[in-house]
Amino acid sequence: MARPANPFGQVLVALVTPFTADGEVDWDDVEKHIDSVIRQGADGIVVTGTTGETSTLTDPEKIRLVEVAKSVADGRAKVITGGGSNETAHAIELYKHSEKAGADGIMIVTPYYNKPTQAGILTHFRMVADATDLPVILYDIPGRTGVPIRYETLLRAAKHPNIRAVKDAKGDLSEVSRVMNQTDLLYFAGDDANALPTLAIGGSGLIGVTANITAAPYRRMVDAVNGNDLATATAAHQALEPLVRATMTHVPGTVATKYILHGLGRISSPRVRLPLVGPEESEAALIEDEIALVGPGADVDFSNFRPDRNAAAGGALPKVAGTTR
């Protein structure tokens, strides 16, 4: 089945939200970081997703992140707002405000903690999609939400005209193939290690965490797959493997990514907000051991990598607490 037009881009970065040392959003770093990943080849920016620490951002911060991303991107990349809420009414309001702020698309995560039935999940998706004219990506990540989006639910959701894609962090590529064979849904890899396998079976792209650190190899991989050049795509996949392991294996991806970006001098602080905390000594050592294996094909220079375990230690309590309406 031929895929419909892709309104989201192919190399999408699940953007970290840079904070100051006391846990406030560092807006200067946000702007610099967005510009950096676009210059490296990203054509989509996902703000306020899991990697952006959506659970501890306030609603005004989330809306401003859309506005800032839209301004910095300036037509060079699509801006997708993630996160949402496990309360349907709250999610609808967030996405309405995001649309007004200039978002090009929205990403709806399966309601977490509530553990709804498949009927509840489908109703949530449909009601949010009804509330906006923007194209929608469904985010299937049962490891965080507690429940998967089942095959039958995906087929039913695909009938909604605004629901256009799935970010798959379930990792069941046989199911991905099955759904793509029976619907027009676009698929994006939600696990960095599965970027090339997803593309190889007809996926449209990736929404990557490691792409915060180096988007260029993912751009090369996607372009190679588009050009039927498996050798080049495989070389990019292999070059990224140790960095993906460093970023995604030992601590939450947000924590490792900020630790690495700070060590590279690309953000001012590696701070995360509680309950996330920076890597402990043993975890930091494992991250650094993996980084030592990263070669030139990853397009990131670690020769001046200066990680700061003290700066990363602990987590911050911001002045304004939690997600507020």
Side-chain angles (χ1 to χ4, degrees):
M1 179 180 292
R3 296 293 105 192
N6 176 357
F8 306 107
Q10 290 190 281
V11 180
L12 280 66
V13 178
L15 201 79
V16 297
T17 305
F19 295 140
T20 63
D22 59 0
E24 301 305 315
V25 178
D26 188 327
W27 294 105
D28 286 341
D29 271 6
V30 169
E31 293 186 16
K32 292 174 186 175
H33 186 50
I34 292 171
D35 183 65
S36 173
V37 297
I38 293 174
R39 288 179 182 275
Q40 292 174 40
D43 55 6
I45 305 294
V46 178
V47 296
T48 75
T50 304
T51 306
E53 298 178 69
T54 186
S55 298
T56 51
L57 293 172
T58 65
D59 286 3
E61 287 172 334
K62 292 175 183 179
I63 302 308
R64 187 175 174 194
L65 279 163
V66 174
E67 294 170 342
V68 169
K70 187 72 173 179
S71 175
V72 174
D74 193 25
R76 296 176 295 165
K78 300 294 186 180
V79 175
I80 315 301
T81 184
S85 174
N86 63 332
E87 179 196 4
T88 305
H90 187 198
I92 287 170
E93 289 305 307
L94 273 174
Y95 289 127
K96 283 182 177 179
H97 287 303
S98 295
E99 183 173 9
K100 290 179 181 178
D104 297 299
I106 65 174
M107 186 170 73
I108 312 174
V109 70
T110 312
Y112 42 89
Y113 189 76
N114 315 60
K115 296 187 76 172
T117 63
Q118 293 296 303
I121 292 169
L122 183 61
T123 301
H124 178 84
F125 290 156
R126 285 174 169 168
M127 291 192 72
V128 175
D130 282 343
T132 176
D133 291 326
L134 295 176
V136 171
I137 304 172
L138 304 182
Y139 187 9
D140 191 5
I141 182 166
R144 287 186 180 273
T145 64
V147 288
I149 310 173
R150 297 200 182 280
Y151 158 77
E152 296 83 3
T153 305
L154 288 165
L155 295 191
R156 295 173 73 186
K159 295 177 182 178
H160 194 291
N162 289 349
I163 295 175
R164 305 285 298 280
V166 178
K167 176 184 177 182
D168 178 70
K170 192 159 55 184
D172 185 347
L173 294 182
S174 62
E175 182 179 279
V176 171
S177 292
R178 188 180 183 195
V179 173
M180 286 196 297
N181 277 344
Q182 296 179 55
T183 73
D184 287 332
L185 289 173
L186 307 171
Y187 260 82
F188 293 87
D191 290 321
D192 289 9
N194 279 344
L196 181 55
T198 300
L199 289 164
I201 61 170
S204 296
L206 63 119
I207 301 175
V209 179
T210 312
N212 280 279
I213 301 163
T214 178
Y218 289 109
R219 180 80 265 161
R220 192 159 59 248
M221 180 192 298
V222 166
D223 289 347
V225 171
N226 291 342
N228 295 314
D229 182 357
L230 180 59
T232 297
T234 302
H237 170 81
Q238 291 172 338
L240 283 163
E241 189 273 332
L243 185 59
V244 169
R245 197 167 59 248
T247 305
M248 304 303 295
T249 304
H250 308 294
V251 293
T254 302
V255 174
T257 300
K258 285 189 169 183
Y259 183 70
I260 294 168
L261 287 172
H262 181 252
L264 290 168
R266 287 165 48 187
I267 58 175
S268 302
S269 170
R271 182 66 71 220
V272 290
R273 285 180 178 174
L274 287 163
L276 293 182
V277 295
E280 297 189 25
E281 288 290 316
S282 60
E283 295 164 338
L286 291 170
I287 293 169
E288 292 162 24
D289 286 346
E290 308 284 15
I291 285 172
L293 301 175
V294 177
D299 287 27
V300 56
D301 183 4
F302 282 107
S303 61
N304 291 314
F305 182 58
R306 300 291 183 270
D308 189 337
R309 298 180 185 182
N310 290 330
L317 282 173
K319 294 176 183 176
V320 179
T323 50
T324 56
R325 297 188 190 178

